[in-house]
Amino acid sequence: MGILSVLAAAVAAYVFGTIWYMSLAKPWMAATGVAVGEDGRPENASNPIPYIVAFVMAILVAGMMRHIFTMAGIDGVGKSLITGLGLGLFVAAPWIVNNVMFSGKPKKLALIDGGYAAGGCAVAGLVLGLF
């Protein structure tokens, strides 16, 4: 059941990320400075590697979250959701903010990417809590 819960949480976080970044595509591309083609899409949009790596990273995050939840005795949907949100807001997002600030990118990028980290962890925690 452990592997299944991790995979389900990773898929849920990945789907959340897809929706998040599709909704914020234009401001994200502007903030990152990603090269955009004539069709308005990033020039590397057809490259599958970033999408594969993103899913593998979602598996790693979900796996570590499951480990943390198990070690801390966190169970149930409510506790898992709040703990996932906390991990996103207070562990993942601060690192993202540091990276954005030192890269000289717009602060909006920290909000977009940090928001994804918080939301993605919350969604993964929610799904882990369902198992």
Side-chain angles (χ1 to χ4, degrees), residues 11-122:
V11 167
Y14 189 87
V15 169
F16 172 80
T18 301
I19 295 166
W20 182 263
Y21 283 106
M22 285 177 70
S23 300
L24 298 168
K26 287 183 182 182
W28 180 83
M29 288 187 290
T32 60
V34 168
V36 178
E38 289 181 19
D39 60 359
R41 298 180 64 210
E43 288 181 356
N44 69 343
S46 63
N47 181 0
I49 299 299
Y51 303 100
I52 294 167
V53 170
F55 184 66
V56 171
M57 295 304 108
I59 293 170
L60 292 177
V61 170
M64 180 49 73
M65 286 178 65
R66 183 180 182 278
H67 175 72
I68 291 168
F69 289 7
T70 300
M71 297 300 292
I74 297 166
D75 57 2
V77 175
K79 289 179 185 177
S80 296
L81 171 66
I82 296 300
T83 303
L85 178 62
L87 288 170
L89 282 174
F90 301 111
V91 176
W95 292 111
I96 291 169
V97 170
N98 285 342
N99 291 341
V100 170
M101 293 297 104
F102 279 105
S103 71
K105 300 285 185 185
K107 292 176 185 163
K108 181 183 280 189
L109 182 60
L111 292 173
I112 294 169
D113 288 347
Y116 164 65
C121 285

